[in-house]
Amino acid sequence: MAKVNAFGRQKGWIEVICGPMFAGKSEELLRRINLLKYSEAKYLLFTPTKDTRSGGKRAKSRDGREFTSISVEKAIDIIGHVNKASEIVQVVAIDEAQFFDEELCNVCNYLANNNYIVLVAGLDMDFDGNPFKTMTNIITVAEKVTKLKAICMTCGAEASFSERLKSAQKKQGGRDQIMIGDIESYEARCRHCHTLSKANPWNFPKLRKAKV
Ligand code: TTP
Ligand code: MG
């Protein structure tokens, strides 16, 4: 049989939208969900209960889009909600995925293997350049990955890093990986304006800088 229109026959898959803070990840996720209104596809949108910024049960983007979401504590809870949804859904979307436990990767694979389209948005790196493992595991198995950039709030270059401001570190979470916050606590930075902690393993004793 000729392999024509093979893409059209594809059913479940995983799409990831990642990048630093202030890059428009939530905006891009909600844009993709919004497009579904032109199709017959139904969706469910999930956010982690840990994300207290949007007041729970809502996913918000910086451009003012706001969608109702189901706030769940554990990744595995997503499966229960999909099963008991009043309508059969085709798309499962997850925002702020970095806050979920590592089981989320298995959940995404299970959904995609059962023909769901899985859209995942979240931070790939924490403030010190460490991977958010839940996200990097999903990036490994995703069919499509979009890595968005922000603008460095120091020099204006493209930014892939998120800087946790010193003032916020003192007041709140110190160097814990999870510390909810917004513009009062974080900035988007390029690699060269981003500050690494003293303990960061990318710091080697000495290296002559390359000529620019
Ligand atoms: P994001 O949705 O990534 O931030 P955003 O809304 O600026 O990005 P976008 O426009 O691309 O959607 O939310 C990041 C959350 O994660 C925020 O509450 C701060 C928190 N956070 C940590 O807990 N640890 C970290 O190391 C970093 C960088 C952020
Ligand atoms: Mg966001």
Side-chain angles (χ1 to χ4, degrees):
M1 196 173 75
K3 289 178 181 162
V4 287
N5 195 19
F7 187 75
R9 282 209 297 269
Q10 208 180 2
K11 294 201 178 96
W13 65 83
I14 303 174
E15 295 180 23
V16 175
I17 302 157
C18 62
M21 289 183 70
F22 311 102
K25 300 179 300 296
S26 300
E27 198 176 316
E28 175 60 16
L29 179 73
L30 299 184
R31 187 191 71 80
R32 291 187 198 180
I33 291 173
N34 193 46
L35 287 179
L36 297 173
K37 70 182 178 209
Y38 303 110
S39 75
E40 278 162 16
K42 301 276 179 273
Y43 73 89
L44 285 179
L45 170 60
F46 294 93
T47 45
T49 46
K50 274 194 190 127
D51 177 34
T52 48
R53 254 189 340 172
S54 53
K57 298 190 178 159
R58 267 175 306 164
K60 282 186 188 169
S61 68
R62 293 190 179 275
D63 68 345
R65 255 190 241 271
E66 209 174 312
F67 282 64
T68 306
S69 67
I70 303 171
S71 177
V72 286
E73 201 173 320
K74 288 191 262 133
I76 194 79
D77 300 339
I78 291 174
I79 292 177
H81 283 283
V82 171
N83 274 333
K84 67 171 199 247
S86 54
E87 294 175 299
I88 294 180
V89 299
Q90 285 84 42
V91 179
V92 176
I94 303 153
D95 197 15
E96 305 291 346
Q98 75 276 359
F99 290 147
F100 278 107
D101 53 278
E102 285 184 46
E103 186 84 296
L104 187 65
C105 185
N106 298 331
V107 169
C108 290
N109 277 311
Y110 188 58
L111 289 165
N113 291 351
N114 282 282
N115 302 342
Y116 291 91
I117 296 168
V118 186
L119 308 179
V120 180
L123 288 172
D124 42 10
M125 252 191 290
D126 71 11
F127 67 98
D128 204 19
N130 303 301
F132 269 108
K133 289 228 180 78
T134 293
M135 282 298 292
T136 49
N137 290 345
I138 301 171
I139 287 169
T140 309
V141 295
E143 275 80 3
K144 183 174 165 186
V145 178
T146 306
K147 179 153 175 155
L148 297 177
K149 308 280 192 330
I151 297 294
C152 176
M153 294 181 185
T154 299
C155 76
E158 280 194 327
S160 300
F161 291 79
S162 310
E163 177 96 2
R164 184 177 289 170
L165 300 175
K166 290 258 153 34
S167 52
Q169 278 187 46
K170 275 189 206 138
K171 262 198 262 163
Q172 305 175 47
R175 305 200 69 78
D176 294 348
Q177 188 172 48
I178 292 185
M179 188 192 101
I180 309 295
D182 210 313
I183 192 78
E184 75 299 333
S185 310
Y186 292 96
E187 281 186 3
R189 295 277 177 95
C190 69
R191 177 184 290 278
H192 301 285
C193 296
H194 175 256
T195 327
L196 292 178
S197 72
K198 286 207 180 76
N200 187 292
W202 304 351
N203 289 316
F204 289 97
K206 204 173 170 109
L207 179 68
R208 199 163 52 185
K209 284 219 179 209
K211 211 171 172 185
V212 285

